Amino acid sequence: MTTGEIIDGKAFAAEVRARVAEGVAAFRAKAARAPGLAVVLVGEDPASAVYVRSKGKATREAGMESFAHRLPAEASQDDLIALVERLNTDGAVDGILVQLPLPKQIDERAVIAAIAPDKDVDGFHPENAGRLASGLDGFVPCTPLGCLMMLKDRLGDLSGLDAVVIGRSNIVGKPMAQLLLGESCTVTIAHSRTRNLPAVIGRADIIVAAVGRPQMIKGDWIKPGATVIDVGINRVPAEEEGKTRLVGDVDFAGALPHVAAITPVPGGVGPMTIAVLLRNTLVAAHRHAGLPFEVEGL
Ligand code: GUN
């Protein structure tokens, strides 16, 4: 049996980040300021703290300004919305990211709705979701946009291909489906109530898995030669006692002989998310400065 190719998301993300850094340098020369990204973390969730730190580091490495804001776990919704409103009117801030999930006393939807749509570099605001669904310019969520960039890099024109997205979240599944539809794919969205998932997946030329269930998609469900993007990040017990490891939503080893190409976990989609966040922030800065966004390959 042949073996599929493993898509190196880390290398691809490094290329995107290098292009962003070039774009930042050109922007700074024209606008006489750096693009700025504000990241807000509420509470002490260790995984979120790690993400926020790595976002700050990547932002500075790209030549942008990073503004970190931390609120205590018991902060009220009003406190957080007041901070967002200050950032909305701060001329040094082009992008605002409120790290999710938020503590339970805070309604995520109310906070997302408070972010100025032109600074919503996560693309979660209903105005940006509506723009994506209507085929208008706006901010697109980072993870699905990163997935689309990897697919187009591999496959070129996606027009007419059968794509199955497994998962229907606002952060990944729904925007991913919209993006693939925008590329003229025939798109199916599968989810926990889908009947005969193996048959649905078996039709697909493109499979994007974003369900959050470790290794649930089996290799022998996959049509030979399909391209698989695995968005899942699931922590499972490792063979070594007391240790854990990360796996995707796809049974990677089982899938590899069937696919044309597949993203690994870790090292596939994950690194692309931050790269696209930087790209979206650079786009926001250009809009705020009234400059056209013309960065090669972005
Ligand atoms: N938490 C996990 N992923 C994300 C993301 O892409 N954006 C935000 N704001 N929070 C997250």
Side-chain angles (χ1 to χ4, degrees):
M1 218 186 276
T2 55
T3 288
E5 255 185 85
I6 299 173
I7 300 173
D8 187 344
K10 231 171 133 177
F12 194 69
E15 279 173 38
V16 171
R17 284 168 60 168
R19 277 183 231 130
V20 170
E22 281 171 31
V24 169
F27 176 86
R28 290 175 72 137
K30 283 185 226 149
R33 70 174 183 90
L37 174 64
V39 176
V40 181
L41 175 62
V42 185
E44 310 292 333
D45 177 59
S48 290
V50 170
Y51 287 135
V52 165
R53 260 202 307 279
S54 56
K55 283 168 187 170
K57 182 164 171 276
T59 305
R60 288 186 294 276
E61 282 172 3
M64 304 194 206
E65 284 243 53
S66 167
F67 306 99
H69 293 271
R70 291 191 81 142
L71 294 180
E74 58 284 359
S76 71
Q77 183 169 310
D78 287 350
D79 292 339
L80 178 54
I81 289 179
L83 171 58
V84 166
E85 285 172 350
R86 268 196 287 129
L87 297 170
N88 282 345
T89 56
D90 183 337
V93 172
D94 294 295
I96 301 169
L97 181 145
V98 178
Q99 185 67 29
L100 305 177
L102 291 167
K104 58 183 178 320
Q105 73 276 15
I106 300 177
D107 175 3
E108 268 174 21
R109 284 175 302 183
V111 175
I112 289 167
I115 298 172
D118 64 297
K119 296 193 176 186
D120 170 40
V121 286
D122 257 333
F124 294 165
H125 191 287
E127 180 173 319
N128 283 317
R131 285 181 163 272
L132 175 60
S134 306
L136 300 170
D137 265 349
F139 290 108
V140 176
C142 302
T143 299
L145 185 52
C147 294
L148 183 70
M149 288 166 79
M150 290 197 284
L151 283 168
K152 287 172 80 169
D153 180 64
R154 279 271 134 191
L155 299 171
D157 183 10
L158 308 183
S159 171
L161 296 179
D162 273 307
V164 172
V165 178
I166 309 112
R168 53 175 154 176
S169 71
N170 289 337
I171 294 182
V172 182
K174 281 187 219 163
M176 188 75 242
Q178 296 287 3
L179 285 170
L180 291 165
L181 193 56
E183 298 296 325
S184 302
C185 292
T186 302
V187 181
T188 303
I189 306 178
H191 46 75
S192 55
R193 303 292 176 89
T194 296
R195 291 185 197 160
N196 202 353
L197 186 61
V200 171
I201 287 178
R203 290 201 296 268
D205 304 301
I206 293 170
I207 298 162
V208 180
V211 262
R213 292 229 241 134
Q215 299 172 309
M216 75 160 293
I217 294 160
K218 303 302 176 200
D220 60 4
W221 300 357
I222 297 170
K223 178 162 91 173
T227 299
V228 178
I229 305 288
D230 191 349
V231 185
I233 300 178
N234 308 290
R235 199 164 276 288
V236 296
E239 264 144 49
E240 200 181 330
E241 182 84 12
K243 298 247 168 145
T244 61
R245 66 190 178 103
L246 293 179
V247 298
D249 291 343
V250 180
D251 172 12
F252 182 82
L256 199 54
H258 297 269
V259 301
I262 183 169
T263 58
V265 178
V269 173
M272 279 300 285
T273 299
I274 289 185
V276 175
L277 173 66
L278 302 177
R279 179 247 176 224
N280 282 357
T281 304
L282 184 58
V283 171
H286 279 79
R287 289 193 192 147
H288 292 144
L291 293 167
F293 183 76
E294 290 159 342
V295 182
E296 182 75 20
L298 293 180

